[in-house]
Amino acid sequence: DTGVSQDPRHKITKRGQNVTFRCDPISEHNRLYWYRQTLGQGPEFLTYFQNEAQLEKSRLLSDRFSAERPKGSFSTLEIQRTEQGDSAMYLCASSLVGRGPSVGREKLFFGSGTQLSVL
Amino acid sequence: AQRVTQPEKLLSVFKGAPVELKCNYSYSGSPELFWYVQYSRQRLQLLLRHISRESIKGFTADLNKGETSFHLKKPFAQEEDSAMYYCALTEGGKLIFGQGTELSVKP
């Protein structure tokens, strides 16, 4: 499968613990996005990278959340001191962005997500 | 902030009936709009984008700037169309999604 890969598929943790998720995008894709989705809601934007640069982070995102994409390939999303409200599906997506008028029109390819349950 | 509204959480129709999934948006400029779909046990995937003016799996969507709408339509629903449908628009370099509408097509 050459699509977007996320690991782990499921994570159960106790409140207060730290968790880290990994996303491997499609290899030639330069943009990588993290979204969070709770039951009955659409995906909520968290942050995105172009190559290794983090271009935007949601203002709704707590300081407990941090994401990296050190070599412009895979990315990690870490949540420190997890809370029950962090329980959600964490989705990663990637895309190939060119220059000029096509920017913003690209197709996002999503992973299967990591389901986080905080007890 | 830009916003996408899908007023219906669930839309249930019979096979062969017409379908219209509603999407309204608020955007200060010229929006780029998309419909994404998630079939059962599958990943979220792009269905269509308004800039392409395409018809995918019999679905079409027309951007109506006057009504700020981008409704998804299909003249004859099929059982395999049952899925979650999300309307989305581009803001800066990211997509903003609506809450989603579950389409259930009954035999």
Side-chain angles (χ1 to χ4, degrees):
Chain A
D1 186 354
T2 56
V4 177
S5 176
Q6 292 189 245
D7 183 70
R9 293 292 301 273
H10 304 276
K11 179 70 177 178
I12 300 173
T13 191
K14 292 182 179 179
R15 189 176 53 187
Q17 298 294 305
N18 298 344
V19 294
T20 300
F21 310 141
R22 177 181 170 121
C23 172
D24 286 273
I26 293 172
S27 59
E28 67 270 23
H29 283 186
N30 50 8
R31 277 210 180 162
L32 187 148
Y33 304 79
W34 285 99
Y35 283 83
R36 175 173 61 190
Q37 187 173 24
T38 53
L39 201 61
Q41 300 296 318
E44 174 192 18
F45 170 76
L46 296 179
T47 187
Y48 83 97
F49 295 83
Q50 177 136 341
N51 300 313
E52 65 276 5
Q54 187 173 18
L55 296 189
E56 187 173 345
K57 183 176 176 179
S58 170
R59 286 171 289 177
L60 301 176
L61 206 58
S62 160
D63 289 343
R64 297 183 295 105
F65 287 71
S66 62
E68 294 182 340
R69 194 184 183 198
K71 297 182 180 179
S73 56
F74 74 92
S75 175
T76 57
L77 176 69
E78 181 184 17
I79 309 174
Q80 297 182 326
R81 305 181 302 283
T82 53
E83 301 173 356
Q84 288 185 325
D86 297 332
S87 296
M89 175 72 82
Y90 289 83
L91 295 169
C92 177
S94 70
S95 68
L96 179 62
V97 178
R99 294 184 179 180
S102 66
V103 173
R105 300 175 181 176
E106 73 276 14
K107 177 178 178 180
L108 266 62
F109 292 80
F110 280 84
S112 298
T114 294
Q115 180 67 54
L116 173 65
S117 297
V118 182
L119 305 178
Chain B
Q2 319 309 336
R3 186 178 178 88
V4 178
T5 302
Q6 294 179 249
E8 303 141 328
K9 276 194 172 292
L10 173 65
L11 185 62
S12 185
V13 301
F14 286 102
K15 177 182 173 181
V19 170
E20 181 179 66
L21 289 90
K22 291 183 167 49
C23 172
N24 290 91
Y25 65 90
S26 62
Y27 191 78
S28 55
S30 295
E32 300 286 353
L33 283 148
F34 305 80
W35 277 96
Y36 276 74
V37 61
Q38 187 167 26
Y39 301 102
S40 179
R41 302 179 191 281
Q42 294 189 25
R43 303 176 184 198
L44 191 59
Q45 59 186 289
L46 177 67
L47 179 63
L48 57 80
R49 44 192 152 188
H50 94 271
I51 196 69
S52 302
R53 299 184 184 276
E54 56 202 347
S55 173
I56 303 293
K57 298 184 179 183
F59 285 97
T60 59
D62 291 319
L63 178 61
N64 186 321
K65 292 187 179 180
E67 295 183 359
T68 60
S69 68
F70 188 56
H71 303 327
L72 184 68
K73 300 178 183 179
K74 184 170 183 176
F76 307 104
Q78 303 300 314
E79 289 179 69
E80 56 265 30
D81 296 328
S82 295
M84 282 295 302
Y85 290 81
Y86 296 96
C87 183
L89 64 77
T90 299
E91 179 189 66
K94 64 188 183 290
L95 279 180
I96 305 297
F97 286 89
Q99 306 94 314
T101 296
E102 180 182 356
L103 175 63
S104 174
V105 182
K106 299 180 178 180

